[in-house]
Amino acid sequence: MTHANDPTDLIREKALWMRRRAFQMVYESRLGHPGGDFSAIDIMATLYFGVMQYDAARPDWAERDRFIMSKGHATGALYTVLCAAGYFPEDWLPTYMQPRSMLNGHPNRNYLPGVETNTGPLGHGFPVALGIAIAGQMSGQAFRTFVLTGDGEQQEGSNWEAALNAGHRKLENLTLIIDRNRLQQGAGTEETIGLDPLDDKYRAFGWHVEMVDGHDVASLHRLLSASPKGRGKPLCVIANTVKGKGVSFMENKASWHHGVPNAAQFAQAMEELV
């Protein structure tokens, strides 16, 4: 699949639809992680509608770019972007979290087209993406590998093993995007285990680091769509985001890491998400 040179209007349109649809899924199922969904949605809409090469009719197309959702609990964001990209019909979305649904609480590659690997245990998606990128480098294939992690995941040792390996191998085909909303379950990241200066840490591990507003889709598109060839380093994008972005009562609230709206809150969110 190819994209227009400036798809920012399309990205914003898709991101709005994703927010509305993901929040409806959480409301109807009474389960979900809407805060982290909403901090990640602009990033994911940018990847799928402005950056990545894929063919939803051929999920196993060998030349496709790979996307790994390491923060696997944010399935509202992942399932809505896969649906919007054409991997499965919208009438699957109301089955979210239902018994035996293919759209369960964490993504499963055996259930759903477009899911590259099962994720959920924090810190595991990044090492899987590393392996995929190494395979691409060894085989000489042109595909890129993108992995989205939560910033709380940066407290996991497996991520730093992956970061060290990627820098050593100079994996310019690998892009790590950190959803830096500064909140995790129950508290702030810096209160739990401090991460700053996160950019300097990745530079010390041999990465090229960029910091960006994770809700500025034009900036995200310019950064993520740029060719990695010749850089000689993997790319770490620290995307500064707002947990619950777009809904006033959710923004910057750790309580909405895992939360379900009541009827009044759902109605208010739908009024704000326009």
Side-chain angles (χ1 to χ4, degrees):
M1 176 177 290
T2 58
H3 303 282
N5 291 330
D6 183 16
T8 50
D9 287 342
L10 175 63
I11 293 168
R12 293 187 186 97
E13 174 187 324
K14 296 295 186 181
L16 176 60
W17 180 86
M18 289 165 63
R19 281 189 169 87
R20 291 177 61 87
R21 200 64 188 82
F23 206 59
Q24 182 179 356
M25 288 158 56
V26 171
Y27 175 64
E28 292 176 348
S29 68
R30 315 307 296 162
L31 292 166
H33 294 82
D37 288 335
F38 279 31
S39 62
I41 276 175
D42 294 311
I43 298 166
M44 297 179 67
T46 300
L47 285 171
Y48 276 86
F49 298 103
V51 176
M52 288 172 49
Q53 303 294 312
Y54 60 88
D55 184 348
R58 295 182 294 160
D60 296 327
W61 179 40
E63 297 178 28
R64 73 191 183 281
D65 290 333
R66 273 68 166 176
F67 173 75
I68 304 296
M69 182 65 149
S70 191
K71 47 179 285 180
H73 56 280
T75 47
L78 179 62
Y79 295 158
T80 52
V81 80
L82 290 177
C83 176
Y87 281 94
F88 58 85
E90 187 175 350
D91 59 13
W92 288 16
L93 295 180
T95 72
Y96 182 59
M97 298 281 196
Q98 291 184 11
R100 300 183 182 275
S101 172
M102 291 184 288
L103 280 63
N104 60 3
H106 291 96
N108 188 323
R109 68 183 303 273
N110 298 306
Y111 292 170
L112 206 60
V115 175
E116 296 287 348
T117 190
N118 298 16
T119 54
L122 296 183
H124 290 192
F126 184 10
V128 171
L130 168 74
I132 293 172
I134 291 172
Q137 184 188 64
M138 292 177 66
S139 64
Q141 292 176 275
F143 69 80
R144 299 176 67 185
T145 301
F146 299 88
V147 54
L148 178 64
T149 76
D151 49 0
E153 287 189 82
Q154 301 304 304
Q155 297 158 357
E156 302 285 346
S158 54
N159 275 344
W160 294 103
E161 294 177 38
L164 185 67
N165 196 326
H168 172 74
R169 292 177 177 270
K170 304 184 187 304
L171 292 174
E172 63 182 16
N173 61 346
L174 176 61
T175 297
L176 164 68
I177 307 166
I178 301 173
D179 182 0
R180 189 71 168 114
N181 62 38
R182 296 184 174 269
L183 289 171
Q184 58 194 98
Q185 184 169 328
T189 55
E190 302 312 289
E191 176 186 350
T192 305
I193 299 179
L195 298 172
D196 285 331
L198 193 54
D199 55 338
D200 289 342
K201 290 173 183 174
Y202 270 92
R203 290 188 185 100
F205 276 59
W207 289 64
H208 178 80
V209 179
E210 296 279 355
M211 303 184 74
V212 67
D213 179 343
H215 303 298
D216 180 345
V217 299
S219 295
L220 284 168
H221 180 252
R222 283 193 300 271
L223 177 59
L224 294 171
S225 62
S227 172
K229 294 187 182 300
R231 186 176 56 224
K233 294 181 179 182
L235 173 63
C236 172
V237 175
I238 300 175
N240 293 305
T241 62
V242 175
K243 202 171 189 100
K245 175 68 173 179
V247 175
S248 59
F249 59 81
M250 286 206 304
E251 289 189 353
N252 283 317
K253 300 290 195 305
S255 59
W256 282 96
H257 175 85
H258 185 291
V260 175
N262 58 34
Q265 289 170 326
F266 177 72
Q268 179 180 339
M270 292 300 104
E271 290 180 358
E272 294 182 9
L273 294 171
V274 294

